Amino acid sequence: MSYAPSALVTAARTKGDRTPADMARRMGMPYLAVYRWATGRHAPGPSGLAAIEKAYGLTPADLMREDTAA
């Protein structure tokens, strides 16, 4: 399983957050961290997961996808 930023971006857009800056304000997290999560460069850590769950109602399981073997 790996981190899937599309679930976060979709949930943010549903709440009206269009940019990582909007998302960072809603979550009370640093912009750079949220930007990295939204672009898939990094996966959120424990505090980030808690902020995402509080702001958007996504659990850690919602942010994961199955890896497919080629």
Side-chain angles (χ1 to χ4, degrees):
M1 296 190 89
S2 62
Y3 171 64
S6 60
L8 174 58
V9 172
T10 300
R13 293 211 169 128
T14 300
K15 292 260 188 164
D17 296 338
R18 300 282 179 221
T19 67
D22 296 335
M23 296 163 62
R25 277 190 291 277
R26 183 179 299 271
M27 288 189 273
M29 297 296 290
Y31 165 80
L32 189 55
V34 175
Y35 172 80
R36 288 175 178 159
W37 304 336
T39 59
R41 293 189 176 153
H42 294 281
S47 63
L49 291 170
I52 290 168
E53 187 165 7
K54 183 177 178 185
Y56 300 112
L58 296 174
T59 65
D62 295 330
L63 298 170
M64 303 304 275
R65 69 169 174 244
E66 290 288 328
D67 290 332
T68 56

